[in-house]
């Protein structure tokens, strides 16, 4: 966002002939006096054996980790 509430992130790694690249971004914006909106997006690319053997497993696990992360953030913010 123009007010400095933006994050861009690139992560890459690999091993055993596989490579994982992740590009993500997030913006925080106000939604009135008492709420903040988090808009984020990310893409991942897999190459090598992990892409052919485990692509679906990796996708399902990624969704689970993302959901858990945001649920934990919500709980911490609600606890105040």
């Amino acid at each position: 966002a123009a007010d400095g509430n933006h994050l861009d992130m690139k992560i890459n790694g690999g091993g055993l002939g596989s490579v994982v690249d992740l590009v993500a971004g997030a913006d925080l914006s106000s939604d009135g006096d008492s709420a903040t909106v988090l808009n984020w997006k990310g893409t991942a690319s897999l190459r090598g054996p992990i892409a052919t053997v485990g692509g679906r497993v990796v996708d399902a696990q990624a969704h689970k980790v993302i959901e858990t992360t945001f649920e934990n953030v919500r709980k911490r913010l609600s606890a105040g």
Side-chain angles (χ1 to χ4, degrees), residues 22-68:
L22 169 68
V23 177
D27 290 294
L28 295 175
S29 60
S30 176
D31 187 21
D33 292 331
S34 63
T36 300
V37 176
L38 169 65
N39 290 307
W40 68 275
K41 65 179 180 176
T43 58
S45 64
L46 309 172
R47 297 186 301 280
I50 194 170
T52 56
V53 175
R56 289 185 185 148
V57 173
V58 170
D59 187 54
Q61 187 62 29
H63 283 277
K64 183 178 176 182
V65 168
I66 291 166
E67 289 174 9
T68 300

